[in-house]
């Protein structure tokens, strides 16, 4: 445990997923690789900070926050645990470009919150990205909230459990492919950056972690309507993963018979009528959603 946490007699709270990074090398690497900016190297700092606002979720004792603040123009860190206030005040005392907000990230309206924060005093609008070592109990809801509420992010770089990272970054037809994988692809492309052993955290979690980076599409690939139609069938397809897609979709399209659903799937996608959802790419889910919407 760091000296600062000991000085403030900080008590770790399991319910908040508090596993803090110990060695500065990992946060330094995360901060270096969380956008497409090329920084000189891990230790040398840039002459000019990248004109980006970084939203950090769960700064903890501020180990990643400091590395972000050294490289990016502005950092806004949202922390649920108010008992970290004195710790963060001390840890971040040397930085004037960090704002810590004590709140539950799930309660924040990101559109309202970030649209104002990204405006600078000299009239510029900063690019916005996310960088965080996420609390594990709530990884997927946070990622979906970020994508759904604020597709303006350039990059979302997060540390998650290693198994979850595999699921987020895999492709259709693999065992790890799930609803979250297909949904992420509606907004951007996910890539696994590197693994972080469990020994790098205090307290030490049971499993290793990995850092992933989602690069959001620069130009809109799917319209809002396509996203909502497609999300609906993706969720249903993976809720009933072992069933054929036609079977799984019966519930959400009660006016179309199962046989007809099978035919539409085969005609639209050029697959068998018996295909399962886990074999479909996001693009295929979208084509099918549009075909079904036109019939309904
Ligand atoms: N960034 C620190 C680090 O890397 O050492 C801490 C990461 S720790 C895995 C997760 C952090 O998220 C904790 O500080 C925890 O209190 C905070 N947290 C948990 N749930 C949260 C929520 N709903 N909103 C904001 N912060 C949350």
């Amino acid at each position: 445990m760091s000296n600062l946490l000991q000085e403030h007699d900080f008590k770790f709270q399991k319910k908040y997923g508090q596993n803090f990074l110990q060695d500065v090398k990992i946060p330094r690497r995360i901060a270096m690789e969380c956008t497409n900016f090329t920084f000189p190297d891990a230790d040398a700092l840039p002459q000019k900070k990248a004109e980006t606002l970084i939203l950090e979720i769960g700064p903890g004792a501020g180990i990643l926050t400091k590395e972000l603040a050294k490289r990016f123009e502005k950092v806004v860190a949202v922390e649920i645990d108010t008992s970290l206030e004195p710790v963060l005040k001390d840890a971040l005392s040397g930085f004037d470009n960090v704002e810590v907000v004590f709140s539950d990230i799930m309660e924040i309206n990101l559109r309202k919150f970030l649209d104002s924060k990204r405006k600078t005093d000299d009239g510029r609008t900063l690019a916005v990205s996310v960088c965080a070592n996420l609390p594990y109990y709530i990884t997927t809801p946070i990622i979906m909230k970020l994508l759904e509420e604020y597709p303006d992010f350039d990059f979302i770089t997060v540390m998650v459990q290693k198994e979850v990272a595999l699921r987020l970054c895999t492709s259709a037809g693999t065992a790890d492919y799930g609803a979250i994988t297909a949904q992420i692809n509606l907004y951007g492309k996910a890539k696994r950056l590197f693994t972080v052993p469990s020994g790098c955290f205090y307290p030490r979690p049971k499993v290793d972690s990995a850092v992933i980076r989602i690069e959001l599409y620069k130009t809109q690939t799917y319209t809002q309507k396509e996203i909502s139609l497609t999300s609906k069938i993706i969720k249903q397809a993976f809720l009933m993963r072992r069933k054929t897609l036609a079977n799984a979709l019966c519930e959400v399209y009660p006016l179309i018979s199962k046989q007809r659903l099978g035919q539409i799937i085969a005609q639209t996608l050029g697959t068998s009528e018996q295909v399962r959802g886990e074999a479909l790419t996001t693009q295929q889910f979208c084509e099918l959603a549009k075909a079904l919407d036109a019939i309904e």
Side-chain angles (χ1 to χ4, degrees):
M1 192 184 351
S2 81
N3 291 343
L4 202 54
L5 289 168
Q6 277 172 6
E7 271 168 38
H8 288 280
D9 195 22
F10 176 72
K11 302 272 180 296
F12 284 88
Q13 298 211 58
K14 215 173 167 189
K15 68 171 178 183
Y16 290 145
Q18 291 179 335
N19 302 99
F20 292 179
L21 280 165
Q22 302 199 82
D23 183 345
V24 75
K25 282 198 203 95
I26 310 281
R28 205 166 267 173
R29 181 159 178 207
I30 299 174
M32 286 257 306
E33 295 193 34
C34 76
T35 63
N36 60 355
F37 293 102
T38 314
F39 295 110
D41 66 59
D43 300 313
L45 292 173
Q47 301 221 313
K48 189 175 179 308
K49 293 179 183 179
E51 290 186 34
T52 294
L53 162 69
I54 299 283
L55 169 67
E56 186 191 4
I57 298 152
I63 192 167
L64 173 61
T65 323
K66 286 190 274 186
E67 296 308 316
L68 293 167
K70 288 175 194 167
R71 293 168 177 82
F72 295 94
E73 192 165 325
K74 193 169 171 186
V75 179
V76 174
V78 177
E79 172 58 60
I80 199 169
D81 185 356
T82 49
S83 72
L84 282 163
E85 193 167 357
V87 178
L88 283 165
K89 211 170 165 200
D90 271 7
L92 303 172
S93 60
F95 297 92
D96 61 2
N97 60 338
V98 182
E99 182 187 348
V100 181
V101 176
F102 286 93
S103 174
D104 179 344
I105 188 67
M106 299 308 287
E107 299 294 324
I108 287 182
N109 174 330
L110 292 178
R111 174 63 52 200
K112 256 167 87 181
F113 186 68
L114 293 172
D115 276 354
S116 60
K117 303 231 178 272
R118 66 191 294 192
K119 297 249 162 40
T120 64
D121 292 342
D122 58 4
R124 288 169 300 133
T125 301
L126 297 173
V128 197
S129 285
V130 175
C131 187
N133 171 12
L134 287 182
Y136 294 159
Y137 75 100
I138 186 182
T139 303
T140 306
I142 291 180
I143 293 177
M144 285 318 298
K145 178 184 170 76
L146 295 171
L147 294 170
E148 284 170 358
E149 276 187 27
Y150 211 74
D152 324 37
F153 291 124
D154 287 334
F155 297 92
I156 296 175
T157 307
V158 284
M159 173 127 69
V160 297
Q161 288 182 328
K162 199 170 151 190
E163 289 68 25
V164 177
L166 288 174
R167 224 175 326 127
L168 299 179
C169 302
T170 190
S171 41
T174 61
D176 290 316
Y177 191 58
I180 179 82
T181 332
Q183 278 181 289
I184 284 179
N185 289 337
L186 288 169
Y187 301 91
K189 286 266 165 267
K191 183 180 170 194
R192 220 169 117 211
L193 296 184
F194 56 94
T195 302
V196 181
S198 61
C200 295
F201 300 87
Y202 186 89
R204 186 183 181 143
K206 289 197 181 74
V207 293
D208 292 341
S209 297
V211 179
I212 67 137
R213 187 175 65 204
I214 303 169
E215 180 167 7
L216 281 88
Y217 302 131
K218 294 275 175 299
T219 51
Q220 197 177 36
T221 305
Y222 298 99
T223 64
Q224 200 45 52
K225 185 175 177 201
E226 286 170 349
I227 289 176
S228 65
L229 289 173
T230 310
S231 292
K232 188 171 88 174
I233 69 164
I234 289 174
K235 281 182 198 150
Q236 189 65 17
F238 286 97
L239 210 59
M240 307 190 166
R241 198 182 173 115
R242 297 278 145 238
K243 291 191 175 182
T244 66
L245 186 58
N247 236 327
L249 293 184
C250 277
E251 265 182 44
V252 277
Y253 294 98
L255 300 180
I256 310 176
S257 72
K258 190 167 67 179
Q259 193 192 9
R260 181 80 188 108
L261 272 170
Q263 289 166 353
I264 298 167
I265 290 168
Q267 278 162 15
T268 311
L269 305 177
T271 60
S272 138
E273 291 182 16
Q274 306 300 318
V275 74
R276 285 185 184 166
E278 62 194 9
L280 266 54
T281 63
T282 305
Q283 178 67 41
Q284 287 177 310
F285 274 119
C286 183
E287 280 165 29
L288 181 61
K290 284 192 288 184
L292 289 167
D293 185 56
I295 290 166
E296 248 195 335

